[in-house]
Amino acid sequence: MGSFNIHPDFQNEFSYATSPLDPEEFRRQGHMVIGYLADYYQNIEKYPVRSQVEPNYLRSHLPDSAPCNPEPIENILRDLQKHIIPGLTHWQSPSHFALFPCATSTAGFLGEVLSTGFNVVGFDWISSPAATELENIVMDWFGKLLKLPGSFLFSGGGGGVLQGTTYEAMLSTLAAARDQMLRKIGRNNIGKLVVYLSDQTHFSFQKAAQIAGINPSNFRVISTTKDDEFSLCPNSVRSAIIADVEGGLVPLYLCATVGTTLSTAVDPLGPICNIAEEYDMWVHVDAAYAGSACICPEFRHFLDGALSTKPEILRNQATDSKQVVDYKDWQISLSRRFRALKLWLVLRSYGVVNLQKFIRGHVNMAKHFEQLAAMNKRFEIVVPRKFSLVCFRISPSAMNQNCKILSTEEDVNLINQKLVESLNASGHVYMTHGVIGGIYFIKFAIRGPLTDYRHVDMAWTLIEDHAEALLKAS
Amino acid sequence: MGSFNIHPDFQNEFSYATSPLDPEEFRRQGHMVIGYLADYYQNIEKYPVRSQVEPNYLRSHLPDSAPCNPEPIENILRDLQKHIIPGLTHWQSPSHFALFPCATSTAGFLGEVLSTGFNVVGFDWISSPAATELENIVMDWFGKLLKLPGSFLFSGGGGGVLQGTTYEAMLSTLAAARDQMLRKIGRNNIGKLVVYLSDQTHFSFQKAAQIAGINPSNFRVISTTKDDEFSLCPNSVRSAIIADVEGGLVPLYLCATVGTTLSTAVDPLGPICNIAEEYDMWVHVDAAYAGSACICPEFRHFLDGALSTKPEILRNQATDSKQVVDYKDWQISLSRRFRALKLWLVLRSYGVVNLQKFIRGHVNMAKHFEQLAAMNKRFEIVVPRKFSLVCFRISPSAMNQNCKILSTEEDVNLINQKLVESLNASGHVYMTHGVIGGIYFIKFAIRGPLTDYRHVDMAWTLIEDHAEALLKAS
């Protein structure tokens, strides 16, 4: 039968030379793209930080339909440089101070590259045992770094999983809590379930609760105040729960935050979890921003009191699976990348000591920025800094020095809005803003892997100059 | 104020030389990993296709906690080769015939590498205009390749989005359908909503429906038969809907499939969509497997009748957003990678002509395998082949030739189960199995980027040899 001969159709159809994964072509193009990215990082300060293009800029530069014939990588990279780069907001720029960390590191990048290259789909153990087992191991490493209770580690009968996004972590725990409760009180009572959050909780949580079928009229958004530094007040939580129970509703789930998106506020986990325990509720701690800072002993106390309410959920799952974990059952999607490779490479390449240094470096640069702002009476800090985000604005008194008539809070908000817009339009820096307790403020987040004191100082000088010009014109 | 001087703390804290994104170090390590992966592809045939490790093999090879100090990339790659590679099932091996496509291509890889390198989070337009606009453009390219109605394209007032997984596509449309209906019939009637699927629909759909809060007793799983080649029968769909309406329930959503996971069955979209339209239901077409084949004109007819039921949903979203699309509102998570880069690179690097060639190459190799199986009377094809999956088994007659007493269907199932297990344990190939209509069968899926006729022929010889040995021993 000639099993080992090349089939005659083969030459005309698809040959190694044109295989989409020909190793030598892979090597050639791979090196080219690594060089392209290294040059990109080298030159990143030359680009405007926030893209300056107008809506729908790209359509006129690209054809209307997919090319029929193949094009060489050189042409594609040329178009990338010419048409795509101007439409990027450069998140790795050292002067990108907007939003929250999304820092690229060489080790993290290589972890993703290896995961993409192996392209295994680790939804169950056998689909690639190493993908599951390495995740078990590095989740225990990470749990130990955060000094979680032993019962949260695989080695203590618990276990962890790398979710793709915060939203997925919220949705999967919310659905588990919901179904556990509905088994007790009956499927038809889904309309009675209540979830609790603060007015500072990330909006992903309401989206997750909506997708999970919780009635939006049962989202209890608890107000925070400046006096509490915009963190959840345990008494308000208790009052809300009591009112719901008296109204015949069923308290289900509370979302607490360590490091809110707007001002990095930290909810008091201990008292909140005690209340939740009384009412047999689930607590989810969203530490998407500040969680990583908790690998430094000086920030670890922010997690105290958490992570002890319902560890039995994970314990049961680990137990049920006997010898191994099938991660598809620990998340909402079936497919998953070999995510653990990235965390493994980052932890090994930098070591705990350098990761702590990196976080402390960012916090110290934020302190430095805070000191610069404090030295200039035209500015004020809006909420106390906890990590590496500084919330500041042009102060009302600076406005009043320049104006003949007393400025309203609205005037102050307006000049700060103009300030952030003019800074971002300059292309030299990128910042975002927030509104808290009626106050419009500017968020200066230290987050880039390439950011150093030089960039912070340059940003501050730019802020002073733009503020000066706006105050003079007002 | 010396804004441009280096801060004195800087030297002791974090310097460019140790920056996690130092461009020269990135270049050096990046080239090393590209070389590592190119060598991996070159040598991939030397590894057992399915990992042969035992559960919990990895823990003894790795330390209990994260290293305190950094380690060089050379050590990490050495450990990767020594401890991780044996625990991989090699999805890119040319002899991996299990499950469904997950083919790595150089262009797809480079698209992901560039996306990882830029590391922009394209949740709204301004976060990186090019990420949104390139996705708009390539989705139109892809829609045209599939010959979708113009109203499904951005250029026709519709639009598309790249979802992370099939599950996400199902959940987001299901939640939209649910909330649209609940606005009409009232939130408290969530328990009345019914979803329809077949016994061949991928299990992700039931998981999505459960997460969306649909009562599991309202999942109508419609049985398929061998006579219908395991596709949904329109009459059965209609009967189920009528019974539910008479019972006071509300038909909401039907999940049809083009290319089922078990046997690549194709549901008759035209008749099914007509019924759904009568009852004002949503239809989701899961074409995760066979959708890409529909870029070849000879397979395109499988999509006929679909994709015209509810185009107004997407139209509204595009209209609401006026000038631009914020993709965060088109998916369930907030964060998203620069996904369009990958599709753009793949379409340009290969051109439509080569992508069609690639798909036809796989289909032709599956035909070739089917012919080999047909020539050997010991085997039979279980369901007709449509794309590049062949469902086969040792036939009952082969069993009866070897046995003194007549084999039961259970005996036939058992020997086929033994066959797939012994093939996978050999390390030379990897296949999975299915059970349909009580018949245990083996799935031979052509899916790898490096697979050619040589590997198909080798696999067939191996199957014959192992079957021969098992039949002799039985």
PDB file of all heavy atoms in Angstrom, chain A residues 195-199 220-225 228 231-244 254 267-268 271-272 275 279 281:
ATOM      1  N   VAL A 195     -27.504  41.453  45.724  1.00  0.00           N
ATOM      2  CA  VAL A 195     -26.039  41.607  45.766  1.00  0.00           C
ATOM      3  C   VAL A 195     -25.705  43.007  46.279  1.00  0.00           C
ATOM      4  O   VAL A 195     -26.453  43.959  46.046  1.00  0.00           O
ATOM      5  CB  VAL A 195     -25.391  41.359  44.392  1.00  0.00           C
ATOM      6  CG1 VAL A 195     -25.618  39.933  43.929  1.00  0.00           C
ATOM      7  CG2 VAL A 195     -25.880  42.340  43.343  1.00  0.00           C
ATOM      8  N   TYR A 196     -24.561  43.109  46.970  1.00  0.00           N
ATOM      9  CA  TYR A 196     -24.158  44.356  47.630  1.00  0.00           C
ATOM     10  C   TYR A 196     -22.822  44.830  47.070  1.00  0.00           C
ATOM     11  O   TYR A 196     -21.909  44.039  46.843  1.00  0.00           O
ATOM     12  CB  TYR A 196     -24.055  44.143  49.145  1.00  0.00           C
ATOM     13  CG  TYR A 196     -25.377  43.691  49.721  1.00  0.00           C
ATOM     14  CD1 TYR A 196     -25.754  42.345  49.657  1.00  0.00           C
ATOM     15  CD2 TYR A 196     -26.264  44.603  50.278  1.00  0.00           C
ATOM     16  CE1 TYR A 196     -26.997  41.923  50.150  1.00  0.00           C
ATOM     17  CE2 TYR A 196     -27.507  44.194  50.772  1.00  0.00           C
ATOM     18  CZ  TYR A 196     -27.866  42.855  50.698  1.00  0.00           C
ATOM     19  OH  TYR A 196     -29.085  42.448  51.159  1.00  0.00           O
ATOM     20  N   LEU A 197     -22.750  46.129  46.865  1.00  0.00           N
ATOM     21  CA  LEU A 197     -21.517  46.729  46.352  1.00  0.00           C
ATOM     22  C   LEU A 197     -21.484  48.163  46.840  1.00  0.00           C
ATOM     23  O   LEU A 197     -22.442  48.633  47.473  1.00  0.00           O
ATOM     24  CB  LEU A 197     -21.500  46.662  44.818  1.00  0.00           C
ATOM     25  CG  LEU A 197     -22.640  47.356  44.065  1.00  0.00           C
ATOM     26  CD1 LEU A 197     -22.145  47.810  42.698  1.00  0.00           C
ATOM     27  CD2 LEU A 197     -23.829  46.408  43.876  1.00  0.00           C
ATOM     28  N   SER A 198     -20.396  48.881  46.554  1.00  0.00           N
ATOM     29  CA  SER A 198     -20.375  50.297  46.920  1.00  0.00           C
ATOM     30  C   SER A 198     -20.450  51.139  45.660  1.00  0.00           C
ATOM     31  O   SER A 198     -20.359  50.616  44.549  1.00  0.00           O
ATOM     32  CB  SER A 198     -19.112  50.636  47.717  1.00  0.00           C
ATOM     33  OG  SER A 198     -18.054  50.995  46.845  1.00  0.00           O
ATOM     34  N   ASP A 199     -20.612  52.447  45.846  1.00  0.00           N
ATOM     35  CA  ASP A 199     -20.643  53.321  44.671  1.00  0.00           C
ATOM     36  C   ASP A 199     -19.259  53.465  44.042  1.00  0.00           C
ATOM     37  O   ASP A 199     -19.105  54.153  43.041  1.00  0.00           O
ATOM     38  CB  ASP A 199     -21.258  54.687  45.009  1.00  0.00           C
ATOM     39  CG  ASP A 199     -20.568  55.378  46.182  1.00  0.00           C
ATOM     40  OD1 ASP A 199     -19.485  54.903  46.601  1.00  0.00           O
ATOM     41  OD2 ASP A 199     -21.109  56.375  46.678  1.00  0.00           O
ATOM     42  N   ARG A 220     -27.716  46.442  45.489  1.00  0.00           N
ATOM     43  CA  ARG A 220     -27.661  47.467  46.551  1.00  0.00           C
ATOM     44  C   ARG A 220     -26.343  48.224  46.445  1.00  0.00           C
ATOM     45  O   ARG A 220     -25.305  47.696  46.843  1.00  0.00           O
ATOM     46  CB  ARG A 220     -27.741  46.841  47.936  1.00  0.00           C
ATOM     47  CG  ARG A 220     -29.020  46.239  48.311  1.00  0.00           C
ATOM     48  CD  ARG A 220     -30.159  47.212  48.523  1.00  0.00           C
ATOM     49  NE  ARG A 220     -31.387  46.429  48.499  1.00  0.00           N
ATOM     50  CZ  ARG A 220     -32.101  46.190  47.380  1.00  0.00           C
ATOM     51  NH1 ARG A 220     -31.755  46.727  46.228  1.00  0.00           N
ATOM     52  NH2 ARG A 220     -33.186  45.453  47.421  1.00  0.00           N
ATOM     53  N   VAL A 221     -26.428  49.422  45.900  1.00  0.00           N
ATOM     54  CA  VAL A 221     -25.218  50.236  45.749  1.00  0.00           C
ATOM     55  C   VAL A 221     -25.099  51.123  46.981  1.00  0.00           C
ATOM     56  O   VAL A 221     -25.880  52.064  47.164  1.00  0.00           O
ATOM     57  CB  VAL A 221     -25.297  51.092  44.478  1.00  0.00           C
ATOM     58  CG1 VAL A 221     -24.004  51.885  44.299  1.00  0.00           C
ATOM     59  CG2 VAL A 221     -25.557  50.216  43.255  1.00  0.00           C
ATOM     60  N   ILE A 222     -24.161  50.804  47.856  1.00  0.00           N
ATOM     61  CA  ILE A 222     -24.039  51.515  49.136  1.00  0.00           C
ATOM     62  C   ILE A 222     -23.134  52.728  48.959  1.00  0.00           C
ATOM     63  O   ILE A 222     -22.022  52.628  48.442  1.00  0.00           O
ATOM     64  CB  ILE A 222     -23.497  50.539  50.208  1.00  0.00           C
ATOM     65  CG1 ILE A 222     -24.575  49.459  50.452  1.00  0.00           C
ATOM     66  CG2 ILE A 222     -23.149  51.262  51.497  1.00  0.00           C
ATOM     67  CD1 ILE A 222     -24.086  48.260  51.187  1.00  0.00           C
ATOM     68  N   SER A 223     -23.640  53.876  49.382  1.00  0.00           N
ATOM     69  CA  SER A 223     -22.877  55.125  49.204  1.00  0.00           C
ATOM     70  C   SER A 223     -21.678  55.175  50.138  1.00  0.00           C
ATOM     71  O   SER A 223     -21.750  54.732  51.286  1.00  0.00           O
ATOM     72  CB  SER A 223     -23.771  56.333  49.509  1.00  0.00           C
ATOM     73  OG  SER A 223     -24.833  56.363  48.606  1.00  0.00           O
ATOM     74  N   THR A 224     -20.592  55.731  49.642  1.00  0.00           N
ATOM     75  CA  THR A 224     -19.407  55.957  50.469  1.00  0.00           C
ATOM     76  C   THR A 224     -19.243  57.465  50.659  1.00  0.00           C
ATOM     77  O   THR A 224     -19.858  58.250  49.942  1.00  0.00           O
ATOM     78  CB  THR A 224     -18.148  55.397  49.790  1.00  0.00           C
ATOM     79  OG1 THR A 224     -17.999  56.040  48.513  1.00  0.00           O
ATOM     80  CG2 THR A 224     -18.248  53.903  49.590  1.00  0.00           C
ATOM     81  N   THR A 225     -18.412  57.825  51.629  1.00  0.00           N
ATOM     82  CA  THR A 225     -18.230  59.262  51.915  1.00  0.00           C
ATOM     83  C   THR A 225     -16.752  59.604  51.983  1.00  0.00           C
ATOM     84  O   THR A 225     -15.900  58.731  52.154  1.00  0.00           O
ATOM     85  CB  THR A 225     -18.842  59.630  53.282  1.00  0.00           C
ATOM     86  OG1 THR A 225     -18.116  58.912  54.296  1.00  0.00           O
ATOM     87  CG2 THR A 225     -20.322  59.276  53.346  1.00  0.00           C
ATOM     88  N   ASP A 228     -14.984  58.522  55.158  1.00  0.00           N
ATOM     89  CA  ASP A 228     -14.503  57.133  55.169  1.00  0.00           C
ATOM     90  C   ASP A 228     -13.483  56.885  54.058  1.00  0.00           C
ATOM     91  O   ASP A 228     -13.194  55.725  53.729  1.00  0.00           O
ATOM     92  CB  ASP A 228     -15.681  56.160  54.985  1.00  0.00           C
ATOM     93  CG  ASP A 228     -16.548  56.075  56.237  1.00  0.00           C
ATOM     94  OD1 ASP A 228     -16.009  56.233  57.344  1.00  0.00           O
ATOM     95  OD2 ASP A 228     -17.770  55.864  56.082  1.00  0.00           O
ATOM     96  N   SER A 231     -14.430  54.332  51.294  1.00  0.00           N
ATOM     97  CA  SER A 231     -14.487  52.876  51.486  1.00  0.00           C
ATOM     98  C   SER A 231     -15.845  52.509  52.080  1.00  0.00           C
ATOM     99  O   SER A 231     -16.547  53.354  52.637  1.00  0.00           O
ATOM    100  CB  SER A 231     -13.351  52.421  52.406  1.00  0.00           C
ATOM    101  OG  SER A 231     -13.590  52.877  53.722  1.00  0.00           O
ATOM    102  N   LEU A 232     -16.201  51.223  51.913  1.00  0.00           N
ATOM    103  CA  LEU A 232     -17.498  50.727  52.400  1.00  0.00           C
ATOM    104  C   LEU A 232     -17.592  50.859  53.918  1.00  0.00           C
ATOM    105  O   LEU A 232     -16.687  50.415  54.642  1.00  0.00           O
ATOM    106  CB  LEU A 232     -17.636  49.240  52.051  1.00  0.00           C
ATOM    107  CG  LEU A 232     -18.461  48.822  50.848  1.00  0.00           C
ATOM    108  CD1 LEU A 232     -18.367  47.315  50.688  1.00  0.00           C
ATOM    109  CD2 LEU A 232     -19.911  49.262  50.951  1.00  0.00           C
ATOM    110  N   CYS A 233     -18.709  51.396  54.410  1.00  0.00           N
ATOM    111  CA  CYS A 233     -18.911  51.524  55.850  1.00  0.00           C
ATOM    112  C   CYS A 233     -19.681  50.282  56.336  1.00  0.00           C
ATOM    113  O   CYS A 233     -20.795  50.005  55.875  1.00  0.00           O
ATOM    114  CB  CYS A 233     -19.692  52.796  56.128  1.00  0.00           C
ATOM    115  SG  CYS A 233     -20.455  52.821  57.745  1.00  0.00           S
ATOM    116  N   PRO A 234     -19.092  49.493  57.264  1.00  0.00           N
ATOM    117  CA  PRO A 234     -19.743  48.256  57.713  1.00  0.00           C
ATOM    118  C   PRO A 234     -21.164  48.493  58.229  1.00  0.00           C
ATOM    119  O   PRO A 234     -22.051  47.675  57.973  1.00  0.00           O
ATOM    120  CB  PRO A 234     -18.815  47.747  58.821  1.00  0.00           C
ATOM    121  CG  PRO A 234     -17.480  48.330  58.486  1.00  0.00           C
ATOM    122  CD  PRO A 234     -17.754  49.669  57.876  1.00  0.00           C
ATOM    123  N   ASN A 235     -21.384  49.611  58.915  1.00  0.00           N
ATOM    124  CA  ASN A 235     -22.741  49.867  59.431  1.00  0.00           C
ATOM    125  C   ASN A 235     -23.751  50.032  58.301  1.00  0.00           C
ATOM    126  O   ASN A 235     -24.884  49.573  58.393  1.00  0.00           O
ATOM    127  CB  ASN A 235     -22.760  51.103  60.328  1.00  0.00           C
ATOM    128  CG  ASN A 235     -22.131  50.795  61.679  1.00  0.00           C
ATOM    129  OD1 ASN A 235     -22.022  49.622  62.065  1.00  0.00           O
ATOM    130  ND2 ASN A 235     -21.688  51.822  62.371  1.00  0.00           N
ATOM    131  N   SER A 236     -23.340  50.693  57.232  1.00  0.00           N
ATOM    132  CA  SER A 236     -24.255  50.859  56.095  1.00  0.00           C
ATOM    133  C   SER A 236     -24.547  49.506  55.444  1.00  0.00           C
ATOM    134  O   SER A 236     -25.674  49.241  55.016  1.00  0.00           O
ATOM    135  CB  SER A 236     -23.632  51.786  55.039  1.00  0.00           C
ATOM    136  OG  SER A 236     -23.238  52.996  55.632  1.00  0.00           O
ATOM    137  N   VAL A 237     -23.527  48.652  55.387  1.00  0.00           N
ATOM    138  CA  VAL A 237     -23.730  47.318  54.828  1.00  0.00           C
ATOM    139  C   VAL A 237     -24.762  46.571  55.663  1.00  0.00           C
ATOM    140  O   VAL A 237     -25.731  46.011  55.147  1.00  0.00           O
ATOM    141  CB  VAL A 237     -22.396  46.532  54.790  1.00  0.00           C
ATOM    142  CG1 VAL A 237     -22.638  45.076  54.405  1.00  0.00           C
ATOM    143  CG2 VAL A 237     -21.410  47.191  53.825  1.00  0.00           C
ATOM    144  N   ARG A 238     -24.571  46.611  56.988  1.00  0.00           N
ATOM    145  CA  ARG A 238     -25.487  45.885  57.875  1.00  0.00           C
ATOM    146  C   ARG A 238     -26.918  46.410  57.741  1.00  0.00           C
ATOM    147  O   ARG A 238     -27.867  45.616  57.625  1.00  0.00           O
ATOM    148  CB  ARG A 238     -25.005  45.978  59.328  1.00  0.00           C
ATOM    149  CG  ARG A 238     -25.865  45.144  60.288  1.00  0.00           C
ATOM    150  CD  ARG A 238     -25.448  45.316  61.749  1.00  0.00           C
ATOM    151  NE  ARG A 238     -24.151  44.712  62.030  1.00  0.00           N
ATOM    152  CZ  ARG A 238     -23.976  43.413  62.298  1.00  0.00           C
ATOM    153  NH1 ARG A 238     -25.011  42.593  62.289  1.00  0.00           N
ATOM    154  NH2 ARG A 238     -22.776  42.947  62.557  1.00  0.00           N
ATOM    155  N   SER A 239     -27.081  47.725  57.717  1.00  0.00           N
ATOM    156  CA  SER A 239     -28.429  48.294  57.605  1.00  0.00           C
ATOM    157  C   SER A 239     -29.110  47.835  56.319  1.00  0.00           C
ATOM    158  O   SER A 239     -30.292  47.483  56.310  1.00  0.00           O
ATOM    159  CB  SER A 239     -28.368  49.828  57.588  1.00  0.00           C
ATOM    160  OG  SER A 239     -27.643  50.296  58.666  1.00  0.00           O
ATOM    161  N   ALA A 240     -28.360  47.849  55.232  1.00  0.00           N
ATOM    162  CA  ALA A 240     -28.932  47.452  53.942  1.00  0.00           C
ATOM    163  C   ALA A 240     -29.374  45.992  53.976  1.00  0.00           C
ATOM    164  O   ALA A 240     -30.452  45.635  53.496  1.00  0.00           O
ATOM    165  CB  ALA A 240     -27.916  47.678  52.828  1.00  0.00           C
ATOM    166  N   ILE A 241     -28.544  45.141  54.582  1.00  0.00           N
ATOM    167  CA  ILE A 241     -28.879  43.709  54.654  1.00  0.00           C
ATOM    168  C   ILE A 241     -30.133  43.504  55.508  1.00  0.00           C
ATOM    169  O   ILE A 241     -31.055  42.772  55.122  1.00  0.00           O
ATOM    170  CB  ILE A 241     -27.683  42.901  55.224  1.00  0.00           C
ATOM    171  CG1 ILE A 241     -26.511  42.932  54.225  1.00  0.00           C
ATOM    172  CG2 ILE A 241     -28.097  41.462  55.531  1.00  0.00           C
ATOM    173  CD1 ILE A 241     -25.234  42.307  54.747  1.00  0.00           C
ATOM    174  N   ILE A 242     -30.167  44.169  56.651  1.00  0.00           N
ATOM    175  CA  ILE A 242     -31.324  44.009  57.549  1.00  0.00           C
ATOM    176  C   ILE A 242     -32.611  44.428  56.842  1.00  0.00           C
ATOM    177  O   ILE A 242     -33.633  43.728  56.894  1.00  0.00           O
ATOM    178  CB  ILE A 242     -31.101  44.815  58.858  1.00  0.00           C
ATOM    179  CG1 ILE A 242     -30.013  44.133  59.702  1.00  0.00           C
ATOM    180  CG2 ILE A 242     -32.413  44.925  59.665  1.00  0.00           C
ATOM    181  CD1 ILE A 242     -29.581  44.923  60.928  1.00  0.00           C
ATOM    182  N   ALA A 243     -32.562  45.553  56.144  1.00  0.00           N
ATOM    183  CA  ALA A 243     -33.752  46.035  55.428  1.00  0.00           C
ATOM    184  C   ALA A 243     -34.216  45.007  54.401  1.00  0.00           C
ATOM    185  O   ALA A 243     -35.409  44.749  54.244  1.00  0.00           O
ATOM    186  CB  ALA A 243     -33.448  47.374  54.758  1.00  0.00           C
ATOM    187  N   ASP A 244     -33.258  44.392  53.695  1.00  0.00           N
ATOM    188  CA  ASP A 244     -33.628  43.399  52.679  1.00  0.00           C
ATOM    189  C   ASP A 244     -34.239  42.155  53.311  1.00  0.00           C
ATOM    190  O   ASP A 244     -35.222  41.615  52.804  1.00  0.00           O
ATOM    191  CB  ASP A 244     -32.407  43.028  51.830  1.00  0.00           C
ATOM    192  CG  ASP A 244     -32.063  44.124  50.842  1.00  0.00           C
ATOM    193  OD1 ASP A 244     -32.995  44.784  50.344  1.00  0.00           O
ATOM    194  OD2 ASP A 244     -30.857  44.335  50.577  1.00  0.00           O
ATOM    195  N   LEU A 254     -21.516  39.800  48.394  1.00  0.00           N
ATOM    196  CA  LEU A 254     -21.014  41.167  48.535  1.00  0.00           C
ATOM    197  C   LEU A 254     -19.675  41.292  47.808  1.00  0.00           C
ATOM    198  O   LEU A 254     -18.821  40.419  47.928  1.00  0.00           O
ATOM    199  CB  LEU A 254     -20.857  41.518  50.013  1.00  0.00           C
ATOM    200  CG  LEU A 254     -20.378  42.937  50.308  1.00  0.00           C
ATOM    201  CD1 LEU A 254     -21.105  43.504  51.537  1.00  0.00           C
ATOM    202  CD2 LEU A 254     -18.875  43.016  50.514  1.00  0.00           C
ATOM    203  N   ASP A 267     -11.667  48.745  51.093  1.00  0.00           N
ATOM    204  CA  ASP A 267     -12.793  48.427  51.974  1.00  0.00           C
ATOM    205  C   ASP A 267     -12.284  47.651  53.191  1.00  0.00           C
ATOM    206  O   ASP A 267     -11.367  46.832  53.061  1.00  0.00           O
ATOM    207  CB  ASP A 267     -13.843  47.593  51.217  1.00  0.00           C
ATOM    208  CG  ASP A 267     -14.524  48.395  50.115  1.00  0.00           C
ATOM    209  OD1 ASP A 267     -14.591  49.640  50.240  1.00  0.00           O
ATOM    210  OD2 ASP A 267     -14.988  47.790  49.131  1.00  0.00           O
ATOM    211  N   PRO A 268     -12.869  47.882  54.377  1.00  0.00           N
ATOM    212  CA  PRO A 268     -12.405  47.188  55.593  1.00  0.00           C
ATOM    213  C   PRO A 268     -12.883  45.738  55.593  1.00  0.00           C
ATOM    214  O   PRO A 268     -13.998  45.443  56.004  1.00  0.00           O
ATOM    215  CB  PRO A 268     -13.051  48.000  56.724  1.00  0.00           C
ATOM    216  CG  PRO A 268     -14.268  48.609  56.108  1.00  0.00           C
ATOM    217  CD  PRO A 268     -13.990  48.790  54.636  1.00  0.00           C
ATOM    218  N   PRO A 271     -14.314  43.628  59.210  1.00  0.00           N
ATOM    219  CA  PRO A 271     -15.701  43.870  59.654  1.00  0.00           C
ATOM    220  C   PRO A 271     -16.750  43.458  58.616  1.00  0.00           C
ATOM    221  O   PRO A 271     -17.784  42.887  58.967  1.00  0.00           O
ATOM    222  CB  PRO A 271     -15.719  45.395  59.862  1.00  0.00           C
ATOM    223  CG  PRO A 271     -14.291  45.788  60.064  1.00  0.00           C
ATOM    224  CD  PRO A 271     -13.464  44.817  59.290  1.00  0.00           C
ATOM    225  N   ILE A 272     -16.457  43.699  57.335  1.00  0.00           N
ATOM    226  CA  ILE A 272     -17.432  43.354  56.292  1.00  0.00           C
ATOM    227  C   ILE A 272     -17.632  41.843  56.209  1.00  0.00           C
ATOM    228  O   ILE A 272     -18.746  41.339  56.099  1.00  0.00           O
ATOM    229  CB  ILE A 272     -16.952  43.907  54.932  1.00  0.00           C
ATOM    230  CG1 ILE A 272     -17.151  45.423  54.902  1.00  0.00           C
ATOM    231  CG2 ILE A 272     -17.718  43.266  53.789  1.00  0.00           C
ATOM    232  CD1 ILE A 272     -16.581  46.067  53.657  1.00  0.00           C
ATOM    233  N   ILE A 275     -19.834  40.463  58.998  1.00  0.00           N
ATOM    234  CA  ILE A 275     -21.271  40.661  58.752  1.00  0.00           C
ATOM    235  C   ILE A 275     -21.767  39.630  57.733  1.00  0.00           C
ATOM    236  O   ILE A 275     -22.798  38.981  57.926  1.00  0.00           O
ATOM    237  CB  ILE A 275     -21.542  42.092  58.233  1.00  0.00           C
ATOM    238  CG1 ILE A 275     -21.126  43.118  59.275  1.00  0.00           C
ATOM    239  CG2 ILE A 275     -23.019  42.257  57.860  1.00  0.00           C
ATOM    240  CD1 ILE A 275     -21.125  44.550  58.768  1.00  0.00           C
ATOM    241  N   TYR A 279     -24.783  36.381  57.898  1.00  0.00           N
ATOM    242  CA  TYR A 279     -25.929  36.188  57.010  1.00  0.00           C
ATOM    243  C   TYR A 279     -25.664  35.117  55.955  1.00  0.00           C
ATOM    244  O   TYR A 279     -26.388  35.013  54.979  1.00  0.00           O
ATOM    245  CB  TYR A 279     -26.325  37.534  56.368  1.00  0.00           C
ATOM    246  CG  TYR A 279     -26.914  38.487  57.379  1.00  0.00           C
ATOM    247  CD1 TYR A 279     -26.093  39.373  58.072  1.00  0.00           C
ATOM    248  CD2 TYR A 279     -28.276  38.450  57.676  1.00  0.00           C
ATOM    249  CE1 TYR A 279     -26.625  40.220  59.039  1.00  0.00           C
ATOM    250  CE2 TYR A 279     -28.812  39.296  58.632  1.00  0.00           C
ATOM    251  CZ  TYR A 279     -27.984  40.181  59.312  1.00  0.00           C
ATOM    252  OH  TYR A 279     -28.521  41.012  60.258  1.00  0.00           O
ATOM    253  N   MET A 281     -23.505  34.859  53.609  1.00  0.00           N
ATOM    254  CA  MET A 281     -23.314  35.407  52.270  1.00  0.00           C
ATOM    255  C   MET A 281     -21.912  35.101  51.749  1.00  0.00           C
ATOM    256  O   MET A 281     -20.996  34.851  52.518  1.00  0.00           O
ATOM    257  CB  MET A 281     -23.466  36.932  52.307  1.00  0.00           C
ATOM    258  CG  MET A 281     -24.863  37.424  52.582  1.00  0.00           C
ATOM    259  SD  MET A 281     -24.824  39.179  53.045  1.00  0.00           S
ATOM    260  CE  MET A 281     -24.132  39.914  51.556  1.00  0.00           C
TER     261      MET A 281
END
